[in-house]
Amino acid sequence: MNQSALLRPDWTPATVALMVLGFMVFWPLGLAMLAYILFGEKFQNFKRQANRKADTAFAWCRTNSYSTSGSTGNVAFDDWRKAELERLDEERRRLDEMRAEFDTYARELRRAKDQEEFDRFMRDRQQVKTADQSGPTQGFTGN
């Protein structure tokens, strides 16, 4: 760790000032700064160890994961698995095509509905305009 850093887990003037300012503004901030000063180096070691353990666990998972390219040694099973995976891929393609067709249908249905609502609005608006122009205007007479 770089010991020349301004904010390090130690009793430096900057960290003490931030702790006091934190207590003055909002006490949990001051408490968090105090915890950083007292236990900051331990948190770094804890983080480093936790990351190392997680990397080890995920590396194990990656090496033991399901792989479609690997062979089990049983030719009949490998052929069956390959055929099933191809069938599932074909089924997925069919479902994707059906979803795309339905999305297109739903989009056209919404467009038609919107067009019908817009046409109705324009008809109603035109009727209001013609009614206003043909009839006498009744306004406030001032009485």
Side-chain angles (χ1 to χ4, degrees), residues 8-56:
R8 61 182 187 269
D10 199 5
W11 292 98
T12 63
T15 56
V16 171
L18 283 173
M19 180 185 65
V20 170
L21 183 66
F23 276 115
M24 290 172 50
V25 173
F26 186 59
W27 69 266
L29 294 176
L31 194 60
M33 193 64 199
L34 179 63
Y36 175 71
I37 291 169
L38 295 175
F39 305 110
E41 191 62 38
K42 291 181 184 177
F43 289 147
Q44 291 296 325
N45 291 336
F46 175 75
K47 179 183 173 191
R48 197 173 301 118
Q49 290 173 356
N51 283 339
R52 190 176 306 121
K53 287 181 182 180
D55 289 343
T56 304

mmCIF file of all heavy atoms in Angstrom, residues 8-56:
data_model
loop_
_atom_site.group_PDB
_atom_site.id
_atom_site.type_symbol
_atom_site.label_atom_id
_atom_site.label_comp_id
_atom_site.label_asym_id
_atom_site.label_seq_id
_atom_site.Cartn_x
_atom_site.Cartn_y
_atom_site.Cartn_z
ATOM 1 N N ARG A 8 -5.166 7.345 4.094
ATOM 2 C CA ARG A 8 -4.780 5.969 4.345
ATOM 3 C C ARG A 8 -5.292 5.595 5.725
ATOM 4 O O ARG A 8 -5.552 6.469 6.555
ATOM 5 C CB ARG A 8 -3.281 5.780 4.207
ATOM 6 C CG ARG A 8 -2.456 6.589 5.174
ATOM 7 C CD ARG A 8 -0.971 6.354 4.919
ATOM 8 N NE ARG A 8 -0.174 6.987 5.933
ATOM 9 C CZ ARG A 8 0.304 8.223 5.863
ATOM 10 N NH1 ARG A 8 0.058 8.950 4.797
ATOM 11 N NH2 ARG A 8 1.015 8.731 6.840
ATOM 12 N N PRO A 9 -5.458 4.317 5.985
ATOM 13 C CA PRO A 9 -5.990 3.914 7.292
ATOM 14 C C PRO A 9 -4.957 4.138 8.403
ATOM 15 O O PRO A 9 -4.308 3.202 8.869
ATOM 16 C CB PRO A 9 -6.332 2.439 7.101
ATOM 17 C CG PRO A 9 -5.579 1.999 5.916
ATOM 18 C CD PRO A 9 -5.306 3.193 5.084
ATOM 19 N N ASP A 10 -4.814 5.389 8.786
ATOM 20 C CA ASP A 10 -3.861 5.771 9.821
ATOM 21 C C ASP A 10 -4.322 7.103 10.405
ATOM 22 O O ASP A 10 -5.200 7.768 9.867
ATOM 23 C CB ASP A 10 -2.463 5.908 9.209
ATOM 24 C CG ASP A 10 -1.368 5.845 10.257
ATOM 25 O OD1 ASP A 10 -1.694 5.604 11.436
ATOM 26 O OD2 ASP A 10 -0.184 6.034 9.890
ATOM 27 N N TRP A 11 -3.715 7.515 11.516
ATOM 28 C CA TRP A 11 -4.105 8.765 12.178
ATOM 29 C C TRP A 11 -3.352 9.937 11.547
ATOM 30 O O TRP A 11 -2.488 10.542 12.144
ATOM 31 C CB TRP A 11 -3.817 8.685 13.677
ATOM 32 C CG TRP A 11 -4.685 7.706 14.379
ATOM 33 C CD1 TRP A 11 -4.371 6.437 14.722
ATOM 34 C CD2 TRP A 11 -6.030 7.908 14.793
ATOM 35 N NE1 TRP A 11 -5.433 5.823 15.326
ATOM 36 C CE2 TRP A 11 -6.478 6.709 15.389
ATOM 37 C CE3 TRP A 11 -6.930 8.971 14.711
ATOM 38 C CZ2 TRP A 11 -7.747 6.546 15.906
ATOM 39 C CZ3 TRP A 11 -8.195 8.802 15.235
ATOM 40 C CH2 TRP A 11 -8.591 7.613 15.820
ATOM 41 N N THR A 12 -3.701 10.283 10.320
ATOM 42 C CA THR A 12 -3.102 11.442 9.661
ATOM 43 C C THR A 12 -3.993 12.650 9.897
ATOM 44 O O THR A 12 -5.189 12.511 10.216
ATOM 45 C CB THR A 12 -2.954 11.185 8.147
ATOM 46 O OG1 THR A 12 -4.250 11.014 7.586
ATOM 47 C CG2 THR A 12 -2.102 9.947 7.878
ATOM 48 N N PRO A 13 -3.468 13.858 9.734
ATOM 49 C CA PRO A 13 -4.307 15.051 9.911
ATOM 50 C C PRO A 13 -5.532 15.051 8.992
ATOM 51 O O PRO A 13 -6.616 15.473 9.401
ATOM 52 C CB PRO A 13 -3.367 16.203 9.584
ATOM 53 C CG PRO A 13 -2.004 15.670 9.858
ATOM 54 C CD PRO A 13 -2.052 14.214 9.538
ATOM 55 N N ALA A 14 -5.370 14.549 7.778
ATOM 56 C CA ALA A 14 -6.504 14.537 6.840
ATOM 57 C C ALA A 14 -7.600 13.580 7.314
ATOM 58 O O ALA A 14 -8.788 13.922 7.272
ATOM 59 C CB ALA A 14 -6.023 14.144 5.449
ATOM 60 N N THR A 15 -7.218 12.403 7.756
ATOM 61 C CA THR A 15 -8.236 11.442 8.190
ATOM 62 C C THR A 15 -8.920 11.885 9.477
ATOM 63 O O THR A 15 -10.133 11.697 9.628
ATOM 64 C CB THR A 15 -7.629 10.036 8.377
ATOM 65 O OG1 THR A 15 -6.545 10.106 9.301
ATOM 66 C CG2 THR A 15 -7.154 9.462 7.066
ATOM 67 N N VAL A 16 -8.157 12.505 10.393
ATOM 68 C CA VAL A 16 -8.763 13.025 11.628
ATOM 69 C C VAL A 16 -9.734 14.149 11.294
ATOM 70 O O VAL A 16 -10.844 14.220 11.836
ATOM 71 C CB VAL A 16 -7.675 13.485 12.618
ATOM 72 C CG1 VAL A 16 -8.297 14.215 13.797
ATOM 73 C CG2 VAL A 16 -6.851 12.301 13.100
ATOM 74 N N ALA A 17 -9.338 15.055 10.379
ATOM 75 C CA ALA A 17 -10.210 16.161 9.990
ATOM 76 C C ALA A 17 -11.492 15.640 9.333
ATOM 77 O O ALA A 17 -12.597 16.124 9.620
ATOM 78 C CB ALA A 17 -9.472 17.103 9.047
ATOM 79 N N LEU A 18 -11.354 14.635 8.460
ATOM 80 C CA LEU A 18 -12.540 14.062 7.824
ATOM 81 C C LEU A 18 -13.437 13.357 8.839
ATOM 82 O O LEU A 18 -14.667 13.416 8.732
ATOM 83 C CB LEU A 18 -12.137 13.089 6.723
ATOM 84 C CG LEU A 18 -11.673 13.728 5.421
ATOM 85 C CD1 LEU A 18 -11.143 12.676 4.468
ATOM 86 C CD2 LEU A 18 -12.807 14.507 4.772
ATOM 87 N N MET A 19 -12.841 12.713 9.832
ATOM 88 C CA MET A 19 -13.632 12.051 10.861
ATOM 89 C C MET A 19 -14.422 13.082 11.663
ATOM 90 O O MET A 19 -15.632 12.927 11.882
ATOM 91 C CB MET A 19 -12.727 11.246 11.794
ATOM 92 C CG MET A 19 -13.480 10.525 12.896
ATOM 93 S SD MET A 19 -12.417 9.703 14.070
ATOM 94 C CE MET A 19 -11.578 11.097 14.812
ATOM 95 N N VAL A 20 -13.757 14.172 12.098
ATOM 96 C CA VAL A 20 -14.436 15.216 12.875
ATOM 97 C C VAL A 20 -15.525 15.864 12.032
ATOM 98 O O VAL A 20 -16.658 16.079 12.497
ATOM 99 C CB VAL A 20 -13.417 16.260 13.385
ATOM 100 C CG1 VAL A 20 -14.120 17.466 13.979
ATOM 101 C CG2 VAL A 20 -12.471 15.629 14.397
ATOM 102 N N LEU A 21 -15.210 16.162 10.769
ATOM 103 C CA LEU A 21 -16.208 16.758 9.873
ATOM 104 C C LEU A 21 -17.383 15.798 9.668
ATOM 105 O O LEU A 21 -18.543 16.222 9.657
ATOM 106 C CB LEU A 21 -15.562 17.107 8.530
ATOM 107 C CG LEU A 21 -16.451 17.806 7.525
ATOM 108 C CD1 LEU A 21 -16.836 19.198 8.046
ATOM 109 C CD2 LEU A 21 -15.754 17.921 6.192
ATOM 110 N N GLY A 22 -17.091 14.513 9.549
ATOM 111 C CA GLY A 22 -18.154 13.523 9.392
ATOM 112 C C GLY A 22 -19.068 13.474 10.596
ATOM 113 O O GLY A 22 -20.285 13.395 10.458
ATOM 114 N N PHE A 23 -18.488 13.530 11.811
ATOM 115 C CA PHE A 23 -19.327 13.546 13.014
ATOM 116 C C PHE A 23 -20.160 14.819 13.093
ATOM 117 O O PHE A 23 -21.297 14.789 13.566
ATOM 118 C CB PHE A 23 -18.465 13.406 14.279
ATOM 119 C CG PHE A 23 -18.137 11.988 14.631
ATOM 120 C CD1 PHE A 23 -16.827 11.539 14.604
ATOM 121 C CD2 PHE A 23 -19.128 11.093 14.990
ATOM 122 C CE1 PHE A 23 -16.516 10.237 14.931
ATOM 123 C CE2 PHE A 23 -18.830 9.786 15.322
ATOM 124 C CZ PHE A 23 -17.521 9.349 15.290
ATOM 125 N N MET A 24 -19.627 15.933 12.617
ATOM 126 C CA MET A 24 -20.367 17.197 12.677
ATOM 127 C C MET A 24 -21.517 17.210 11.667
ATOM 128 O O MET A 24 -22.602 17.711 11.964
ATOM 129 C CB MET A 24 -19.426 18.374 12.422
ATOM 130 C CG MET A 24 -18.460 18.611 13.560
ATOM 131 S SD MET A 24 -17.180 19.824 13.223
ATOM 132 C CE MET A 24 -18.089 21.200 12.601
ATOM 133 N N VAL A 25 -21.305 16.650 10.477
ATOM 134 C CA VAL A 25 -22.328 16.680 9.425
ATOM 135 C C VAL A 25 -23.395 15.608 9.674
ATOM 136 O O VAL A 25 -24.583 15.905 9.720
ATOM 137 C CB VAL A 25 -21.674 16.500 8.043
ATOM 138 C CG1 VAL A 25 -22.730 16.353 6.962
ATOM 139 C CG2 VAL A 25 -20.768 17.673 7.738
ATOM 140 N N PHE A 26 -22.946 14.382 9.825
ATOM 141 C CA PHE A 26 -23.876 13.255 9.979
ATOM 142 C C PHE A 26 -23.096 12.156 10.675
ATOM 143 O O PHE A 26 -22.140 11.614 10.113
ATOM 144 C CB PHE A 26 -24.386 12.822 8.595
ATOM 145 C CG PHE A 26 -25.445 11.764 8.609
ATOM 146 C CD1 PHE A 26 -26.643 11.968 9.269
ATOM 147 C CD2 PHE A 26 -25.255 10.567 7.944
ATOM 148 C CE1 PHE A 26 -27.624 10.995 9.271
ATOM 149 C CE2 PHE A 26 -26.224 9.595 7.936
ATOM 150 C CZ PHE A 26 -27.416 9.810 8.605
ATOM 151 N N TRP A 27 -23.457 11.816 11.893
ATOM 152 C CA TRP A 27 -22.629 10.974 12.738
ATOM 153 C C TRP A 27 -22.234 9.639 12.128
ATOM 154 O O TRP A 27 -21.142 9.152 12.380
ATOM 155 C CB TRP A 27 -23.245 10.801 14.126
ATOM 156 C CG TRP A 27 -24.501 9.989 14.166
ATOM 157 C CD1 TRP A 27 -25.771 10.444 14.108
ATOM 158 C CD2 TRP A 27 -24.585 8.567 14.280
ATOM 159 N NE1 TRP A 27 -26.663 9.409 14.171
ATOM 160 C CE2 TRP A 27 -25.944 8.231 14.285
ATOM 161 C CE3 TRP A 27 -23.658 7.544 14.380
ATOM 162 C CZ2 TRP A 27 -26.397 6.928 14.371
ATOM 163 C CZ3 TRP A 27 -24.102 6.239 14.471
ATOM 164 C CH2 TRP A 27 -25.461 5.942 14.459
ATOM 165 N N PRO A 28 -23.067 8.975 11.277
ATOM 166 C CA PRO A 28 -22.590 7.720 10.683
ATOM 167 C C PRO A 28 -21.370 7.910 9.771
ATOM 168 O O PRO A 28 -20.545 7.010 9.658
ATOM 169 C CB PRO A 28 -23.793 7.205 9.896
ATOM 170 C CG PRO A 28 -24.973 7.775 10.595
ATOM 171 C CD PRO A 28 -24.526 9.133 11.025
ATOM 172 N N LEU A 29 -21.249 9.081 9.160
ATOM 173 C CA LEU A 29 -20.064 9.332 8.334
ATOM 174 C C LEU A 29 -18.809 9.380 9.191
ATOM 175 O O LEU A 29 -17.766 8.831 8.816
ATOM 176 C CB LEU A 29 -20.215 10.644 7.554
ATOM 177 C CG LEU A 29 -21.299 10.686 6.491
ATOM 178 C CD1 LEU A 29 -21.384 12.083 5.889
ATOM 179 C CD2 LEU A 29 -21.016 9.658 5.428
ATOM 180 N N GLY A 30 -18.904 10.032 10.325
ATOM 181 C CA GLY A 30 -17.766 10.077 11.244
ATOM 182 C C GLY A 30 -17.422 8.703 11.767
ATOM 183 O O GLY A 30 -16.243 8.344 11.890
ATOM 184 N N LEU A 31 -18.443 7.920 12.064
ATOM 185 C CA LEU A 31 -18.218 6.562 12.547
ATOM 186 C C LEU A 31 -17.567 5.698 11.466
ATOM 187 O O LEU A 31 -16.665 4.904 11.755
ATOM 188 C CB LEU A 31 -19.549 5.958 12.991
ATOM 189 C CG LEU A 31 -19.484 4.698 13.825
ATOM 190 C CD1 LEU A 31 -18.725 4.938 15.124
ATOM 191 C CD2 LEU A 31 -20.887 4.223 14.136
ATOM 192 N N ALA A 32 -17.999 5.876 10.236
ATOM 193 C CA ALA A 32 -17.398 5.125 9.129
ATOM 194 C C ALA A 32 -15.929 5.518 8.952
ATOM 195 O O ALA A 32 -15.068 4.660 8.718
ATOM 196 C CB ALA A 32 -18.170 5.371 7.840
ATOM 197 N N MET A 33 -15.616 6.794 9.080
ATOM 198 C CA MET A 33 -14.230 7.236 8.954
ATOM 199 C C MET A 33 -13.388 6.682 10.101
ATOM 200 O O MET A 33 -12.243 6.278 9.894
ATOM 201 C CB MET A 33 -14.182 8.763 8.919
ATOM 202 C CG MET A 33 -12.862 9.306 8.497
ATOM 203 S SD MET A 33 -12.526 8.805 6.803
ATOM 204 C CE MET A 33 -10.776 9.064 6.756
ATOM 205 N N LEU A 34 -13.940 6.649 11.307
ATOM 206 C CA LEU A 34 -13.225 6.077 12.444
ATOM 207 C C LEU A 34 -12.944 4.596 12.205
ATOM 208 O O LEU A 34 -11.836 4.105 12.476
ATOM 209 C CB LEU A 34 -14.033 6.270 13.732
ATOM 210 C CG LEU A 34 -13.421 5.696 15.009
ATOM 211 C CD1 LEU A 34 -12.099 6.381 15.322
ATOM 212 C CD2 LEU A 34 -14.392 5.873 16.165
ATOM 213 N N ALA A 35 -13.930 3.862 11.691
ATOM 214 C CA ALA A 35 -13.736 2.444 11.386
ATOM 215 C C ALA A 35 -12.659 2.277 10.318
ATOM 216 O O ALA A 35 -11.829 1.362 10.402
ATOM 217 C CB ALA A 35 -15.049 1.814 10.924
ATOM 218 N N TYR A 36 -12.638 3.155 9.324
ATOM 219 C CA TYR A 36 -11.610 3.095 8.288
ATOM 220 C C TYR A 36 -10.226 3.330 8.890
ATOM 221 O O TYR A 36 -9.270 2.635 8.544
ATOM 222 C CB TYR A 36 -11.902 4.128 7.191
ATOM 223 C CG TYR A 36 -10.819 4.203 6.146
ATOM 224 C CD1 TYR A 36 -10.640 3.168 5.232
ATOM 225 C CD2 TYR A 36 -9.969 5.298 6.076
ATOM 226 C CE1 TYR A 36 -9.644 3.227 4.275
ATOM 227 C CE2 TYR A 36 -8.973 5.367 5.127
ATOM 228 C CZ TYR A 36 -8.806 4.332 4.232
ATOM 229 O OH TYR A 36 -7.820 4.388 3.288
ATOM 230 N N ILE A 37 -10.118 4.302 9.788
ATOM 231 C CA ILE A 37 -8.819 4.596 10.412
ATOM 232 C C ILE A 37 -8.353 3.389 11.240
ATOM 233 O O ILE A 37 -7.181 2.991 11.167
ATOM 234 C CB ILE A 37 -8.908 5.860 11.291
ATOM 235 C CG1 ILE A 37 -9.096 7.097 10.415
ATOM 236 C CG2 ILE A 37 -7.664 6.018 12.148
ATOM 237 C CD1 ILE A 37 -9.446 8.356 11.189
ATOM 238 N N LEU A 38 -9.234 2.812 12.013
ATOM 239 C CA LEU A 38 -8.846 1.725 12.912
ATOM 240 C C LEU A 38 -8.668 0.382 12.198
ATOM 241 O O LEU A 38 -7.744 -0.374 12.506
ATOM 242 C CB LEU A 38 -9.878 1.572 14.030
ATOM 243 C CG LEU A 38 -10.002 2.753 14.994
ATOM 244 C CD1 LEU A 38 -11.135 2.514 15.971
ATOM 245 C CD2 LEU A 38 -8.691 2.985 15.724
ATOM 246 N N PHE A 39 -9.565 0.061 11.267
ATOM 247 C CA PHE A 39 -9.585 -1.276 10.684
ATOM 248 C C PHE A 39 -9.340 -1.298 9.184
ATOM 249 O O PHE A 39 -9.531 -2.332 8.546
ATOM 250 C CB PHE A 39 -10.947 -1.946 10.960
ATOM 251 C CG PHE A 39 -11.295 -1.987 12.410
ATOM 252 C CD1 PHE A 39 -12.324 -1.197 12.909
ATOM 253 C CD2 PHE A 39 -10.595 -2.804 13.278
ATOM 254 C CE1 PHE A 39 -12.654 -1.231 14.243
ATOM 255 C CE2 PHE A 39 -10.926 -2.842 14.622
ATOM 256 C CZ PHE A 39 -11.953 -2.057 15.111
ATOM 257 N N GLY A 40 -8.932 -0.197 8.596
ATOM 258 C CA GLY A 40 -8.775 -0.115 7.142
ATOM 259 C C GLY A 40 -7.804 -1.119 6.577
ATOM 260 O O GLY A 40 -8.051 -1.730 5.536
ATOM 261 N N GLU A 41 -6.675 -1.320 7.234
ATOM 262 C CA GLU A 41 -5.695 -2.276 6.734
ATOM 263 C C GLU A 41 -6.232 -3.699 6.802
ATOM 264 O O GLU A 41 -6.000 -4.500 5.907
ATOM 265 C CB GLU A 41 -4.396 -2.158 7.543
ATOM 266 C CG GLU A 41 -3.241 -2.906 6.942
ATOM 267 C CD GLU A 41 -2.854 -2.401 5.560
ATOM 268 O OE1 GLU A 41 -2.895 -1.172 5.331
ATOM 269 O OE2 GLU A 41 -2.537 -3.241 4.710
ATOM 270 N N LYS A 42 -7.002 -4.015 7.836
ATOM 271 C CA LYS A 42 -7.593 -5.353 7.946
ATOM 272 C C LYS A 42 -8.634 -5.564 6.852
ATOM 273 O O LYS A 42 -8.776 -6.670 6.331
ATOM 274 C CB LYS A 42 -8.226 -5.548 9.321
ATOM 275 C CG LYS A 42 -7.205 -5.612 10.433
ATOM 276 C CD LYS A 42 -7.882 -5.829 11.764
ATOM 277 C CE LYS A 42 -6.837 -5.783 12.873
ATOM 278 N NZ LYS A 42 -7.437 -5.921 14.188
ATOM 279 N N PHE A 43 -9.379 -4.502 6.502
ATOM 280 C CA PHE A 43 -10.363 -4.614 5.427
ATOM 281 C C PHE A 43 -9.675 -4.919 4.105
ATOM 282 O O PHE A 43 -10.174 -5.701 3.301
ATOM 283 C CB PHE A 43 -11.193 -3.339 5.305
ATOM 284 C CG PHE A 43 -12.168 -3.120 6.423
ATOM 285 C CD1 PHE A 43 -12.472 -1.843 6.843
ATOM 286 C CD2 PHE A 43 -12.793 -4.176 7.046
ATOM 287 C CE1 PHE A 43 -13.374 -1.629 7.872
ATOM 288 C CE2 PHE A 43 -13.699 -3.984 8.073
ATOM 289 C CZ PHE A 43 -13.985 -2.692 8.484
ATOM 290 N N GLN A 44 -8.516 -4.317 3.858
ATOM 291 C CA GLN A 44 -7.783 -4.585 2.625
ATOM 292 C C GLN A 44 -7.362 -6.050 2.562
ATOM 293 O O GLN A 44 -7.501 -6.696 1.528
ATOM 294 C CB GLN A 44 -6.563 -3.673 2.523
ATOM 295 C CG GLN A 44 -6.886 -2.215 2.305
ATOM 296 C CD GLN A 44 -7.579 -1.969 0.983
ATOM 297 O OE1 GLN A 44 -7.294 -2.629 -0.007
ATOM 298 N NE2 GLN A 44 -8.496 -1.025 0.974
ATOM 299 N N ASN A 45 -6.833 -6.578 3.680
ATOM 300 C CA ASN A 45 -6.434 -7.978 3.710
ATOM 301 C C ASN A 45 -7.638 -8.892 3.554
ATOM 302 O O ASN A 45 -7.581 -9.896 2.844
ATOM 303 C CB ASN A 45 -5.695 -8.301 5.015
ATOM 304 C CG ASN A 45 -4.335 -7.641 5.073
ATOM 305 O OD1 ASN A 45 -3.742 -7.329 4.042
ATOM 306 N ND2 ASN A 45 -3.836 -7.415 6.276
ATOM 307 N N PHE A 46 -8.756 -8.560 4.196
ATOM 308 C CA PHE A 46 -9.973 -9.354 4.088
ATOM 309 C C PHE A 46 -10.466 -9.376 2.646
ATOM 310 O O PHE A 46 -10.831 -10.426 2.106
ATOM 311 C CB PHE A 46 -11.055 -8.784 5.015
ATOM 312 C CG PHE A 46 -12.382 -9.455 4.878
ATOM 313 C CD1 PHE A 46 -12.606 -10.720 5.408
ATOM 314 C CD2 PHE A 46 -13.414 -8.824 4.197
ATOM 315 C CE1 PHE A 46 -13.834 -11.336 5.284
ATOM 316 C CE2 PHE A 46 -14.639 -9.440 4.056
ATOM 317 C CZ PHE A 46 -14.849 -10.698 4.601
ATOM 318 N N LYS A 47 -10.459 -8.216 2.000
ATOM 319 C CA LYS A 47 -10.905 -8.119 0.609
ATOM 320 C C LYS A 47 -10.004 -8.955 -0.289
ATOM 321 O O LYS A 47 -10.477 -9.682 -1.165
ATOM 322 C CB LYS A 47 -10.904 -6.658 0.171
ATOM 323 C CG LYS A 47 -11.316 -6.450 -1.251
ATOM 324 C CD LYS A 47 -11.228 -4.997 -1.636
ATOM 325 C CE LYS A 47 -11.486 -4.827 -3.111
ATOM 326 N NZ LYS A 47 -11.154 -3.492 -3.573
ATOM 327 N N ARG A 48 -8.710 -8.869 -0.088
ATOM 328 C CA ARG A 48 -7.756 -9.618 -0.895
ATOM 329 C C ARG A 48 -7.986 -11.121 -0.732
ATOM 330 O O ARG A 48 -8.019 -11.866 -1.712
ATOM 331 C CB ARG A 48 -6.336 -9.232 -0.490
ATOM 332 C CG ARG A 48 -5.287 -9.604 -1.482
ATOM 333 C CD ARG A 48 -3.916 -9.054 -1.109
ATOM 334 N NE ARG A 48 -3.928 -7.595 -1.004
ATOM 335 C CZ ARG A 48 -3.652 -6.920 0.127
ATOM 336 N NH1 ARG A 48 -3.342 -7.570 1.219
ATOM 337 N NH2 ARG A 48 -3.685 -5.605 0.146
ATOM 338 N N GLN A 49 -8.178 -11.580 0.505
ATOM 339 C CA GLN A 49 -8.409 -12.999 0.748
ATOM 340 C C GLN A 49 -9.744 -13.470 0.170
ATOM 341 O O GLN A 49 -9.835 -14.559 -0.412
ATOM 342 C CB GLN A 49 -8.363 -13.289 2.247
ATOM 343 C CG GLN A 49 -6.984 -13.175 2.845
ATOM 344 C CD GLN A 49 -7.017 -13.296 4.369
ATOM 345 O OE1 GLN A 49 -8.080 -13.389 4.968
ATOM 346 N NE2 GLN A 49 -5.833 -13.294 4.974
ATOM 347 N N ALA A 50 -10.780 -12.648 0.314
ATOM 348 C CA ALA A 50 -12.095 -13.014 -0.225
ATOM 349 C C ALA A 50 -12.041 -13.106 -1.749
ATOM 350 O O ALA A 50 -12.611 -14.032 -2.350
ATOM 351 C CB ALA A 50 -13.148 -12.001 0.208
ATOM 352 N N ASN A 51 -11.355 -12.169 -2.392
ATOM 353 C CA ASN A 51 -11.228 -12.213 -3.855
ATOM 354 C C ASN A 51 -10.453 -13.449 -4.296
ATOM 355 O O ASN A 51 -10.812 -14.088 -5.285
ATOM 356 C CB ASN A 51 -10.539 -10.956 -4.369
ATOM 357 C CG ASN A 51 -11.463 -9.763 -4.381
ATOM 358 O OD1 ASN A 51 -12.676 -9.921 -4.382
ATOM 359 N ND2 ASN A 51 -10.903 -8.570 -4.382
ATOM 360 N N ARG A 52 -9.404 -13.807 -3.563
ATOM 361 C CA ARG A 52 -8.604 -14.978 -3.920
ATOM 362 C C ARG A 52 -9.449 -16.245 -3.797
ATOM 363 O O ARG A 52 -9.422 -17.106 -4.682
ATOM 364 C CB ARG A 52 -7.376 -15.061 -3.015
ATOM 365 C CG ARG A 52 -6.368 -16.103 -3.468
ATOM 366 C CD ARG A 52 -5.092 -16.120 -2.627
ATOM 367 N NE ARG A 52 -4.477 -14.801 -2.561
ATOM 368 C CZ ARG A 52 -4.251 -14.132 -1.426
ATOM 369 N NH1 ARG A 52 -4.582 -14.655 -0.267
ATOM 370 N NH2 ARG A 52 -3.669 -12.952 -1.443
ATOM 371 N N LYS A 53 -10.248 -16.361 -2.724
ATOM 372 C CA LYS A 53 -11.091 -17.542 -2.548
ATOM 373 C C LYS A 53 -12.181 -17.619 -3.611
ATOM 374 O O LYS A 53 -12.490 -18.687 -4.135
ATOM 375 C CB LYS A 53 -11.713 -17.544 -1.155
ATOM 376 C CG LYS A 53 -10.716 -17.876 -0.067
ATOM 377 C CD LYS A 53 -11.363 -17.906 1.296
ATOM 378 C CE LYS A 53 -10.320 -18.199 2.362
ATOM 379 N NZ LYS A 53 -10.894 -18.241 3.693
ATOM 380 N N ALA A 54 -12.775 -16.471 -3.937
ATOM 381 C CA ALA A 54 -13.811 -16.459 -4.974
ATOM 382 C C ALA A 54 -13.222 -16.826 -6.331
ATOM 383 O O ALA A 54 -13.840 -17.582 -7.097
ATOM 384 C CB ALA A 54 -14.469 -15.085 -5.036
ATOM 385 N N ASP A 55 -12.038 -16.330 -6.645
ATOM 386 C CA ASP A 55 -11.394 -16.677 -7.914
ATOM 387 C C ASP A 55 -11.110 -18.173 -7.989
ATOM 388 O O ASP A 55 -11.300 -18.799 -9.036
ATOM 389 C CB ASP A 55 -10.093 -15.891 -8.094
ATOM 390 C CG ASP A 55 -10.341 -14.418 -8.360
ATOM 391 O OD1 ASP A 55 -11.489 -14.067 -8.731
ATOM 392 O OD2 ASP A 55 -9.391 -13.621 -8.196
ATOM 393 N N THR A 56 -10.670 -18.751 -6.881
ATOM 394 C CA THR A 56 -10.407 -20.191 -6.847
ATOM 395 C C THR A 56 -11.696 -20.980 -7.068
ATOM 396 O O THR A 56 -11.718 -21.937 -7.845
ATOM 397 C CB THR A 56 -9.776 -20.575 -5.494
ATOM 398 O OG1 THR A 56 -8.598 -19.805 -5.293
ATOM 399 C CG2 THR A 56 -9.434 -22.047 -5.453
#
